[in-house]
Amino acid sequence: MIPDVLDINIVIETFQNRYADITYLDKGGMSFVYKARHIGLNRVVALKILNPENNSDWDLVNRFYQEIKIGATVNHPNILKIHYGDEINGLHFMEMDYLEGETLYQMIQRNGQLDQTNTVKYLKPIVSALSHLHNHGIVHRDIKTANIFIDQHRGAILTDFGISFYINSPVSIPENEIIGTPEYMSPEQASGRKLPDERSDLYGIGVILYEALTGNVPFKGKTTRDTLDQVIFNPPPSLVDYNISISDYIDRMIMRLLSKHEVDRYESAWELYNDLDEIDISKNGNNYSIWRRIKDLFLPEDNNFQLPYFLRIDGYNASDSYIPLYGRSLGNNQISCIVGRSTPDGVVPDVDIQEPTISRQHVEIVFIKGQLGVRHLYSNNSSYLNGVTLEAGIIYSFEVGDWLTMGGLRFELIQGR
């Protein structure tokens, strides 16, 4: 039944020039959600309409439009896309992607708890989405299972930016403002001792992991105040009391995320993503090691791209000891850079090092999905990364400051000069 405060006939009449086939879906804390078909584009969308009873609350209205701004400007496959927002005849609305499925909260309620494989499968893309938000200076501030939607076609989608904010926004946000869902608040949010930052969002991920694997949030009091006090002062109950199959690795990860002091948590969402990736690797037998991200690198579709890195020959100070890394685009944001020694028979690597102990195709430096790695190729002479022998065919993480040994030379990876 449609709530009395917002009649479906009013909605249909208000939006008839833009949308058709409007049907009621759900009610949130401040808004109503409808399914509709965009007439001009002939696509199915969701309409989120602010409850008119809130129109006089300028703080809520401003937050509504802040959500529109954030959802319309960020672009990530696991973030709910907001296409448009406006006000018509006193109804503030936003047009969003239409999702089919259920929230992670509903899934946990239905199943009791999830296994570790599915938990990681759903959380990895959400952590990637968080990393994208944080790189744009946005803190979500309401990370919880009810704001993660498991779409039948797209997987896990992060939603609801109603209380999100830009870290460097000129709009003042009170440091002692306590807002959000108590069970998922970080201690600094619950106490109001500081403005939440990226690490507060990561605390929320820790609560979600805990809830997915045990069926319970770590802190739940009889009153809101009791819950907040537990968040601030109490250590989280042991996960294995609820689920003995939880690995030590993910147990330590969750306890780190739930640290009372933000400095003890993960430094970034990308660091957490790498650790979740390692769980996938150990589970699936994948030989790929943890990679690090290269930030702000946009790849042209050509075959002569210079990575923003150099190999510095150890023991040499001349300018020609800094070897630029050139690679070939493989499409899909991938680059391959073969390092070796060109020979008269026509073998020409991407990076030519004329040293007799370096083979024609000695190593490959790869850039895939924003991450840098290195692997040994076809040389009979071994390759070493920080003194460790590279096993042929396996991609190893490669980052600034690492030492790569090929033949009789040792190279340091350095940032572009």
Side-chain angles (χ1 to χ4, degrees):
M1 177 179 293
I2 303 301
D4 293 336
V5 71
L6 193 59
D7 193 301
I8 183 65
N9 294 317
I10 296 176
V11 177
I12 293 174
E13 181 181 353
T14 302
F15 297 103
Q16 61 183 342
N17 293 329
R18 186 178 178 90
Y19 304 104
D21 305 329
I22 299 175
T23 57
Y24 173 76
L25 289 179
D26 198 7
K27 180 184 183 297
M30 300 183 299
S31 306
F32 300 89
V33 182
Y34 293 83
K35 178 182 178 182
R37 177 174 56 84
H38 189 289
I39 297 173
L41 300 176
N42 194 31
R43 70 179 177 194
V44 177
V45 298
L47 299 180
K48 183 175 180 180
I49 304 174
L50 185 67
N51 188 333
E53 293 182 350
N54 296 319
N55 283 1
S56 60
D57 189 331
W58 286 108
D59 182 54
L60 290 181
V61 173
N62 287 334
R63 284 177 178 168
F64 189 81
Y65 282 96
Q66 176 83 325
E67 179 175 7
I68 294 172
K69 178 181 178 181
I70 291 174
T73 54
V74 296
N75 187 19
H76 188 282
N78 301 100
I79 293 178
L80 178 67
K81 188 66 177 176
I82 298 175
H83 306 289
Y84 179 76
D86 205 349
E87 179 267 328
I88 300 178
N89 295 336
L91 295 184
H92 300 280
F93 76 98
M94 65 180 77
E95 176 192 308
M96 314 177 294
D97 283 345
Y98 172 68
L99 304 176
E100 294 183 273
E102 62 182 340
T103 65
L104 183 58
Y105 175 80
Q106 292 168 328
M107 180 178 289
I108 294 170
Q109 291 299 303
R110 179 165 51 82
N111 292 283
Q113 56 185 224
L114 307 181
D115 61 40
Q116 185 168 292
T117 299
N118 281 312
T119 297
V120 173
K121 179 182 75 173
Y122 293 135
L123 265 295
K124 273 183 62 179
I126 296 302
V127 173
S128 175
L130 262 186
S131 180
H132 183 78
L133 284 178
H134 294 166
N135 286 340
H136 284 77
I138 300 167
V139 176
H140 188 281
R141 204 163 48 154
D142 199 16
I143 296 297
K144 59 184 180 181
T145 51
N147 286 340
I148 296 174
F149 198 93
I150 310 301
D151 182 71
Q152 294 177 4
H153 309 288
R154 295 169 52 188
I157 306 294
L158 182 61
T159 70
D160 199 342
F161 306 98
I163 61 173
S164 302
F165 68 93
Y166 287 90
I167 298 173
N168 297 318
S169 172
V171 178
S172 176
I173 299 175
E175 287 198 12
N176 61 353
E177 180 182 52
I178 300 176
I179 186 171
T181 306
E183 292 81 4
Y184 301 85
M185 282 186 187
S186 65
E188 60 271 20
Q189 286 177 275
S191 64
R193 62 179 169 83
K194 71 180 294 290
L195 195 65
D197 60 15
E198 298 94 328
R199 293 165 298 183
S200 301
D201 283 347
L202 297 183
Y203 180 94
I205 293 294
V207 177
I208 291 173
L209 284 167
Y210 192 108
E211 181 181 2
L213 292 168
T214 68
N216 301 278
V217 291
F219 304 111
K220 180 68 174 178
K222 294 181 179 180
T223 65
T224 297
R225 184 67 260 171
D226 186 25
T227 299
L228 294 176
D229 285 343
Q230 289 183 31
V231 169
I232 297 169
F233 301 110
N234 292 6
S238 172
L239 284 89
V240 294
D241 289 345
Y242 297 105
N243 188 341
I244 61 173
S245 66
I246 295 173
S247 69
D248 290 341
Y249 187 92
I250 201 166
D251 187 15
R252 291 193 299 271
M253 174 190 294
I254 294 172
M255 290 300 106
R256 181 179 176 186
L257 287 166
L258 296 180
S259 296
K260 298 300 181 187
H261 300 286
E262 57 271 23
V263 295
D264 296 327
R265 299 177 206 142
Y266 283 83
E267 183 178 345
S268 68
W270 190 254
E271 182 187 4
L272 172 60
Y273 182 91
N274 280 334
D275 269 11
L276 287 169
D277 201 37
E278 187 167 18
I279 294 174
D280 269 3
I281 291 166
S282 63
K283 189 74 177 178
N284 301 324
N286 195 321
N287 284 328
Y288 285 63
S289 62
I290 305 174
W291 298 348
R292 278 78 172 184
R293 184 180 186 184
I294 301 177
K295 295 183 178 179
D296 302 323
L297 179 59
F298 301 92
L299 307 182
E301 293 295 327
D302 62 33
N303 291 320
N304 189 31
F305 181 76
Q306 182 176 345
L307 290 166
Y309 295 89
F310 288 75
L311 293 178
R312 183 185 68 81
I313 304 176
D314 187 30
Y316 291 77
N317 294 317
S319 60
D320 59 1
S321 66
Y322 292 88
I323 302 171
L325 297 181
Y326 288 93
R328 294 165 290 107
S329 173
L330 303 179
N332 297 321
N333 211 33
Q334 300 183 28
I335 277 184
S336 170
C337 175
I338 304 296
V339 181
R341 175 173 50 88
S342 64
T343 58
D345 61 4
V347 174
V348 180
D350 300 308
V351 175
D352 178 19
I353 301 176
Q354 286 297 309
E355 158 62 34
T357 58
I358 291 180
S359 300
R360 293 176 295 177
Q361 296 187 56
H362 207 108
V363 300
E364 181 185 26
I365 297 173
V366 295
F367 174 86
I368 302 176
K369 296 181 179 178
Q371 303 159 21
L372 194 66
V374 62
R375 64 178 170 181
H376 181 74
L377 290 177
Y378 312 110
S379 174
N380 291 326
N381 295 326
S382 298
S383 302
Y384 304 88
L385 182 63
N386 298 325
V388 177
T389 303
L390 300 182
E391 296 182 30
I394 298 178
I395 297 180
Y396 293 78
S397 172
F398 197 30
E399 61 180 359
V400 172
D402 282 347
W403 289 96
L404 177 65
T405 303
M406 293 179 286
L409 295 178
R410 193 169 77 126
F411 305 83
E412 181 185 15
L413 182 68
I414 63 171
Q415 195 76 38
R417 303 171 67 241

